[in-house]
Amino acid sequence: MTNLLLFLPAALVLVAIPGPNHLYITARSIGEGRRAGIASAFGVETGTLVHIAAAAAGLSALVAASATAFGFLRYAGAAYLVYLAYRTLRGGDGGDEPALRPQPLRRVYLDGVLVNVLNPKVVLFFLAFLPQFVDQGAGAVPLQIAAMGLLTALLGLCSDIAYALAAGSMGTWLRARPVFRRRQRYATSLVYLGLGAATAFAAPARRP
């Protein structure tokens, strides 16, 4: 319980600080509206559940320890973000209109899942940050990891939705401006390319 009480405020601060997931959700929400931002938020945190299961099973440590596995994960994640940038630049379905065409919510949700599952920085979170609060003497280490991971996902979802709602309001205002509409696809594509570059250069971290 002591470790949990220490973990909660640390996790709350961590999920509230703007990061790659927030930037992705914000870009999606500004470009395609609140519903797309919220769908992205649920997709991202569904991806977090995959990482929680992997961490509880010990797979996160194996991935981070293997240069080949970690390299595959980060380059696959970077490639998918570059693909999203290309798809956005093409208007989603090959259209040439300047405004960004909203995608079906199911696709938006699945994009969020894949973006987070292929994010090596989340693997490092479950390898380097979360284990610091695990009480080895209490036993049931996988259960402790799963419980703290689920709390992190819940806090993350609340934070993600807050960002999606705020960005959606901003997007509504911006989309009413012709200047923004003409550059909307390009700006969103640049965000995805930036996230792809950050993912490609993610480096493994040693377990403390």
Side-chain angles (χ1 to χ4, degrees):
M1 183 58 68
T2 301
N3 283 13
L4 184 62
L5 291 176
L6 291 172
F7 172 76
L8 279 175
L12 183 59
V13 170
L14 196 65
V15 301
I17 295 173
N21 286 341
H22 292 134
L23 188 58
Y24 169 75
I25 291 167
T26 297
R28 200 101 206 204
S29 196
I30 289 177
E32 301 177 52
R34 290 190 191 93
R35 294 180 66 195
I38 292 173
S40 295
F42 276 98
V44 163
E45 297 310 328
T46 300
T48 300
L49 297 181
V50 175
H51 284 290
I52 292 169
L59 297 179
S60 293
L62 293 177
V63 170
S66 169
T68 301
F70 191 83
F72 172 80
L73 184 67
R74 68 175 179 168
Y75 288 126
Y80 191 72
L81 284 163
V82 170
Y83 162 71
L84 288 181
Y86 170 77
R87 195 178 75 192
T88 301
L89 196 61
R90 294 296 300 161
D93 294 308
D96 294 323
E97 71 279 1
L100 184 62
R101 179 181 300 177
Q103 299 296 305
L105 291 182
R106 181 175 178 274
R107 175 185 278 187
V108 173
Y109 170 80
L110 291 175
D111 283 345
V113 174
L114 286 174
V115 164
N116 206 27
V117 166
L118 297 176
N119 185 353
K121 293 184 178 181
V122 183
V123 175
L124 298 181
F125 166 83
F126 283 103
L127 179 71
F129 176 77
L130 193 147
Q132 298 180 54
F133 300 92
V134 171
D135 184 357
Q136 299 286 345
V141 170
L143 183 60
Q144 291 185 59
I145 291 174
M148 287 189 289
L150 289 172
L151 284 173
T152 303
L154 181 60
L155 292 173
L157 181 61
C158 294
S159 176
D160 293 345
I161 290 176
Y163 273 85
L165 293 175
S169 298
M170 183 186 299
T172 300
W173 183 83
L174 289 172
R175 285 192 298 275
R177 272 70 185 166
V179 173
F180 174 76
R181 288 203 306 271
R182 287 195 296 269
R183 293 170 172 78
Q184 184 178 353
R185 286 190 292 138
Y186 304 104
T188 304
S189 296
L190 283 175
V191 171
Y192 292 157
L193 286 174
L195 290 173
T199 300
F201 289 103
R206 293 183 178 180
R207 189 168 185 166

